Amino acid sequence: MVTREMAPVEETMPRTTLAGRSKPGFVDHSFEPGALERFVATPATRLPDPTAYLLRDVERGEEFCGAVPDDAMEVIAQRGRTLLTIEEGTAMITQYPQVLVKNKCFSLGGSRCGDRRVPAIWISRNAPKLGWCWERNPHTWLGMASAGGRSPATGDTAG
């Protein structure tokens, strides 16, 4: 997993596709100029390295489809899991495009900008789309992605 310090989101989203398709992913126009840069890893996300690290036990969180994002984030924290960031969600569909399917898309609550928006990746115009939804608005097709943990890319991976 590399962070935007190594690979900016504006460059990685166009490298995503849906499984078996070639149309590139895109960042939604609802991110006003400069907004995407403000969506950073939350303090609770605790990245082990600002450039690259390993992500373990990733789930797209379809059990949370239809749940209020704030409620889903609370349940995930209670389980001792960590929310995915924008970079992690983009990396996941770059490496495993088959995880992004109709009605099983996901929010990325590990990246926030200090307001009520929660970034998410879903399918639009037959391609992956990075957009956002409000933290209190449920969507039947949007879950909450999480991971079992993060580890440094080198050294001890038990943490």
Side-chain angles (χ1 to χ4, degrees), residues 31-84:
F31 284 102
E32 69 276 7
L36 194 54
E37 294 79 21
R38 292 191 310 270
F39 280 86
V40 296
T42 65
T45 304
R46 295 187 294 272
L47 302 182
D49 186 295
T51 57
Y53 53 90
L54 302 174
L55 193 60
R56 299 184 329 266
D57 188 24
V58 177
E59 296 177 356
R60 67 181 171 197
E62 64 263 23
E63 74 177 278
F64 297 107
C65 287
V68 171
D70 271 356
D71 296 342
M73 290 186 270
E74 184 177 324
V75 169
I76 288 167
Q78 289 170 355
R79 292 178 180 171
R81 295 182 60 81
T82 182
L83 300 166
L84 292 195

Side-chain angles (χ1 to χ4, degrees), residues 40-129:
V40 296
T42 65
T45 304
R46 295 187 294 272
L47 302 182
D49 186 295
T51 57
Y53 53 90
L54 302 174
L55 193 60
R56 299 184 329 266
D57 188 24
V58 177
E59 296 177 356
R60 67 181 171 197
E62 64 263 23
E63 74 177 278
F64 297 107
C65 287
V68 171
D70 271 356
D71 296 342
M73 290 186 270
E74 184 177 324
V75 169
I76 288 167
Q78 289 170 355
R79 292 178 180 171
R81 295 182 60 81
T82 182
L83 300 166
L84 292 195
T85 66
I86 290 174
E87 295 95 321
E88 292 164 350
T90 303
M92 180 169 67
I93 62 171
T94 299
Q95 295 296 313
Y96 304 100
Q98 68 274 14
V99 302
L100 188 63
V101 295
K102 184 179 179 181
N103 298 323
K104 302 288 188 234
C105 303
F106 47 87
S107 293
L108 302 164
S111 292
R112 299 297 294 271
C113 72
D115 64 15
R116 296 179 305 133
R117 296 179 288 177
V118 180
I121 295 177
W122 64 87
I123 299 169
S124 178
R125 301 188 317 233
N126 294 311
K129 173 182 176 177

